[in-house]
Amino acid sequence: GTQAGLIAGRLGIPTISTGNLLRAAMRDGTEVGQKVKGYMDAGKLVPDELMIDLVQERLGQGDCQNGYVLDGFPRTLPQAKALSSFATIDAALSIEVSDEEIEQRMEGRRICTVCQTTYHVDDNPPKVEGVCDKCGGKLAIRKDDTHEVVENRLHIYHEETEPVKEYYRQEGLLLAVRGQKKLADTTSLVFEALGISL
């Protein structure tokens, strides 16, 4: 999410975070929000059809006409194949990090309850603990960042999402970089892989 935001900011295009779209739907109590709450709270993947419809609808909005960065989509092979039917993908970026590092990162993640900006207690802390730098909102731990849910999400990732990497590798679109401890170092590698100047 952090890297997607940095890429989008540099290119002047929106970040389409499916997690943020779903959390907004839950917060607003929409029909979609009610359907997905149980899945997200348990760390399970939301059904493909629902995600595909949500993303396709979002990509049809005016701010996406000059491009966008997808964050959290596609997560399954059916989603990747469906995406190719309504969008053109320039690259699929995979930031490679061990399961142990992912657990540490997710359990230390904090999110603004107002603007959804993401922080990390060690690697990307806010200037004032518990307060969003951008809007002053309160930072919170997401329900899906607890240890048990993170372990379940990693299991699902290996079963459902790793095949997406192979799909994009075969399409010649996969760019893989090793996630670094320091945010700026990962950003440098990401921008280099995408051919974006810092």
Side-chain angles (χ1 to χ4, degrees), residues 61-73:
Q61 295 178 5
D63 65 336
C64 292
Q65 297 309 305
N66 294 319
Y68 44 83
V69 176
L70 291 171
D71 173 22
F73 187 89

Side-chain angles (χ1 to χ4, degrees), residues 16 18 21 48-61 64-65 67-68 70 73-90 167-168:
I16 309 303
T18 53
L21 291 175
D48 288 335
E49 301 78 26
L50 191 57
M51 292 305 306
I52 291 164
D53 290 346
L54 186 69
V55 170
Q56 187 170 13
E57 179 183 325
R58 178 63 182 93
L59 296 185
Q61 295 178 5
C64 292
Q65 297 309 305
Y68 44 83
L70 291 171
F73 187 89
R75 288 190 192 260
T76 67
L77 210 46
Q79 289 177 7
K81 291 177 179 179
L83 179 63
S84 68
S85 72
F86 61 84
T88 301
I89 302 303
D90 298 317
Y167 173 80
Y168 284 119

Side-chain angles (χ1 to χ4, degrees), residues 149-179:
V149 173
V150 169
E151 282 190 339
N152 186 50
R153 288 172 69 189
L154 284 168
H155 175 75
I156 291 170
Y157 169 82
H158 292 300
E159 282 190 1
E160 301 279 341
T161 305
E162 277 189 327
V164 174
K165 286 173 35 180
E166 184 57 30
Y167 173 80
Y168 284 119
R169 181 177 286 116
Q170 290 177 7
E171 295 287 315
L173 298 172
L174 184 68
L175 302 173
V177 299
R178 177 80 181 123

Side-chain angles (χ1 to χ4, degrees), residues 3 7 10 91 93 175-178 180 184-198:
Q3 294 299 326
I7 295 164
R10 181 67 167 180
L93 178 68
L175 302 173
V177 299
R178 177 80 181 123
Q180 304 297 305
D185 294 340
T186 301
T187 302
S188 179
L189 293 175
V190 165
F191 278 36
E192 181 182 339
L194 292 171
I196 300 170
S197 60
L198 286 172

Side-chain angles (χ1 to χ4, degrees), residues 34-47 50 144:
Q34 292 171 6
K35 288 180 183 177
V36 302
K37 186 177 186 330
Y39 292 101
M40 289 189 68
D41 285 349
K44 295 180 180 176
L45 290 178
V46 174
L50 191 57
D144 55 343

